[in-house]
Amino acid sequence: MKTLRIPEATVMRMSVYSKYLNKLDQDGIITVSSGEIADGVGVSSAQVRKDLAYFGEFGTRGVGYNVKDLLRYTLKILGLDREWNLILAGADNLGYALCTNTEFVSRGFKIVGVFDDDLSRIGRRISNMIVQPLEEMAQVVKEHNVKIGILTVPDNSSQQVADLMINSGIIAILNFSAIPLNPTESVDVRNVDMSALLEILTFNLGFKAAQNL
Amino acid sequence: MKTLRIPEATVMRMSVYSKYLNKLDQDGIITVSSGEIADGVGVSSAQVRKDLAYFGEFGTRGVGYNVKDLLRYTLKILGLDREWNLILAGADNLGYALCTNTEFVSRGFKIVGVFDDDLSRIGRRISNMIVQPLEEMAQVVKEHNVKIGILTVPDNSSQQVADLMINSGIIAILNFSAIPLNPTESVDVRNVDMSALLEILTFNLGFKAAQNL
């Protein structure tokens, strides 16, 4: 996969801005300034302007941004001007938590299949779905034109289940296992490393301690 | 909180390198090149060298890095040359998944208290802990000298429970709610936005589609 020139951190903030704009829109707010967006999501207004500038010219000087227009535009940028069907492999607690994540639904993500190879989990109900054996994955991916898979299986089977996803037609994987999967030319992988998130905190705490703060 | 000059992405990769070095060490490997680390974790060797260069000079030209030394040094950088006690608020499925995350343990994180305000959850056993009411938080934080809290409560109570954490003595929060918490001078916050992670994938898919790939 080609490296995009737009920083990943910018894309993640676009998602945060987009959700904030959605909230403003639901509250009936018509226009918003970069400063108000910044305050609402906890970044600097210069950051908001810099992030938006990657995607073109928005807003009117002295007036700000039209909330509905900017919301629509952020959704389009993020590829959310359509719905996306997802599958999830690994029906453990994390899998269950993700299947019942209401924000996914509000952003247009629909989990259409949950898979596991554990006989004690297959057949169990999660939300409005029944956990299916891994062998059913390819059929569900094809039937629902699924491009994105979420991987929450144990570390020792993550590469194997990722390969099964890819062979089934999945081209983008959100991987929650502790084993980083390597992206390929044709498959985009995002590894979510839970302990690395904690380690940013301990890194910063160590830095503060070193400064005797 | 001051902005560190070291990019957050570098810190997260240091965590990934560190875990890979740990695996090499356990496999009895003595030395490793930046190219081998790069292959093992799926980044370029230039990236590995650039990331390590933030922290000083390592390795010997033509010989590579001593695995044990570099592992020890990455742990020290990440603040993991000690153990960290954590608390978690929100004993739902995600909270349960995090409490039973074995990688946290292997990296020196120990969850010493789990809290919820839901009467149906209080008293329930998770791992070797009993879910306690939020009112007990301050006492546990004090008793175990806890600095880091994980927040997995519903969105509508996340700010309130974060404030309770901060008032209890927590100075670093990993927030899994969809409401971004604002960092302050004295409290470091890392917001983990699950849907934003998916939206990086849809952003890239849209980019690919636009290129007619």
Side-chain angles (χ1 to χ4, degrees):
Chain A
M1 157 139 310
K2 280 203 195 90
T3 306
L4 303 179
R5 284 196 214 97
I6 295 164
E8 197 166 291
T10 290
V11 179
M12 291 200 74
R13 281 192 297 268
M14 289 298 290
S15 167
V16 174
Y17 304 155
S18 175
K19 286 167 210 161
Y20 185 65
L21 290 164
N22 189 48
K23 182 175 170 298
L24 293 179
D25 185 42
Q26 286 176 348
D27 291 349
I29 312 290
I30 306 296
T31 57
V32 67
S33 69
S34 53
E36 286 161 341
I37 297 174
D39 287 348
V41 305
V43 302
S44 72
S45 58
Q47 184 72 68
V48 173
R49 286 193 298 271
K50 189 180 164 192
D51 287 335
L52 292 177
Y54 278 106
F55 304 99
E57 290 281 332
F58 304 99
T60 311
R61 193 174 292 273
V63 176
Y65 307 101
N66 178 283
V67 171
K68 264 193 205 305
D69 287 350
L70 190 57
L71 169 59
R72 200 176 302 122
Y73 204 78
T74 56
L75 290 173
K76 190 172 156 59
I77 287 166
L78 293 165
L80 300 180
D81 50 351
R82 51 162 287 184
E83 297 203 328
W84 290 93
N85 289 335
L86 312 180
I87 57 161
L88 182 143
D92 64 350
N93 288 293
L94 180 58
Y96 194 98
L98 293 169
C99 281
T100 55
N101 184 313
T102 54
E103 198 183 42
F104 286 177
V105 179
S106 74
R107 300 293 284 172
F109 295 110
K110 187 179 178 193
I111 298 179
V112 296
V114 184
F115 305 91
D116 208 298
D117 65 355
D118 184 329
L119 287 176
S120 72
R121 290 180 185 151
I122 293 167
R124 226 163 57 170
R125 178 172 291 274
I126 297 186
S127 211
N128 60 344
M129 283 167 298
I130 302 290
V131 179
Q132 296 176 270
L134 291 171
E135 291 72 28
E136 306 291 330
M137 186 189 288
Q139 177 59 30
V140 172
V141 168
K142 194 176 163 194
E143 193 178 316
H144 294 275
N145 190 29
V146 184
K147 301 294 179 206
I148 304 172
I150 303 178
L151 194 61
T152 57
V153 297
D155 298 346
N156 57 10
S157 60
S158 59
Q159 186 63 59
Q160 187 190 342
V161 179
D163 290 343
L164 180 63
M165 283 186 170
I166 293 164
N167 291 334
S168 301
I170 293 296
I171 57 172
I173 298 176
L174 190 61
N175 171 33
F176 284 90
S177 81
I179 309 289
L181 301 172
N182 297 346
T184 66
E185 275 298 315
S186 54
V187 181
D188 192 16
V189 173
R190 210 62 23 189
N191 298 303
V192 187
D193 188 323
M194 296 288 194
S195 84
L197 296 164
L198 280 174
E199 293 172 28
I200 290 176
L201 296 176
T202 56
F203 172 81
N204 288 342
L205 287 171
F207 189 84
K208 280 168 100 173
Q211 290 185 318
N212 294 314
L213 292 178
Chain B
M1 156 137 315
K2 280 205 196 89
T3 306
L4 304 179
R5 283 197 216 98
I6 296 165
E8 199 167 289
T10 290
V11 179
M12 291 199 74
R13 281 191 298 267
M14 289 299 287
S15 167
V16 174
Y17 303 154
S18 176
K19 286 168 211 160
Y20 185 65
L21 289 163
N22 189 48
K23 184 177 168 295
L24 293 179
D25 185 41
Q26 286 176 347
D27 291 348
I29 312 289
I30 306 296
T31 57
V32 66
S33 69
S34 53
E36 285 162 341
I37 297 174
D39 287 347
V41 305
V43 303
S44 72
S45 59
Q47 184 72 67
V48 173
R49 286 192 299 269
K50 189 179 165 193
D51 288 334
L52 292 176
Y54 277 105
F55 304 99
E57 289 282 332
F58 303 98
T60 310
R61 192 175 294 272
V63 177
Y65 307 101
N66 178 282
V67 170
K68 264 193 205 307
D69 287 350
L70 190 57
L71 169 60
R72 199 178 300 121
Y73 203 79
T74 57
L75 290 173
K76 190 172 157 58
I77 288 167
L78 293 164
L80 300 181
D81 49 352
R82 50 162 287 183
E83 296 203 328
W84 292 93
N85 290 335
L86 312 180
I87 56 160
L88 182 143
D92 63 351
N93 288 293
L94 180 58
Y96 193 99
L98 293 168
C99 282
T100 54
N101 184 314
T102 53
E103 198 182 43
F104 286 178
V105 179
S106 75
R107 300 293 283 171
F109 294 110
K110 185 179 177 194
I111 298 178
V112 296
V114 183
F115 305 92
D116 207 299
D117 65 355
D118 184 329
L119 288 176
S120 73
R121 289 179 186 152
I122 293 167
R124 227 165 50 172
R125 178 172 290 277
I126 297 187
S127 211
N128 59 343
M129 285 168 297
I130 303 289
V131 179
Q132 296 177 270
L134 290 171
E135 292 71 29
E136 306 291 331
M137 186 188 290
Q139 178 57 32
V140 172
V141 167
K142 194 176 162 194
E143 193 178 318
H144 295 274
N145 189 30
V146 185
K147 301 295 180 205
I148 304 173
I150 302 178
L151 194 61
T152 55
V153 298
D155 299 345
N156 57 11
S157 60
S158 58
Q159 187 63 59
Q160 188 189 341
V161 179
D163 291 343
L164 180 63
M165 282 186 171
I166 293 165
N167 291 333
S168 302
I170 293 295
I171 57 171
I173 298 177
L174 190 61
N175 171 34
F176 284 91
S177 81
I179 310 289
L181 301 172
N182 297 345
T184 68
E185 275 298 315
S186 55
V187 181
D188 191 16
V189 173
R190 210 65 19 191
N191 298 303
V192 188
D193 187 323
M194 296 287 194
S195 83
L197 297 165
L198 280 176
E199 292 172 27
I200 290 176
L201 295 177
T202 55
F203 172 81
N204 288 344
L205 286 172
F207 189 84
K208 280 168 98 173
Q211 290 185 315
N212 294 314
L213 291 177

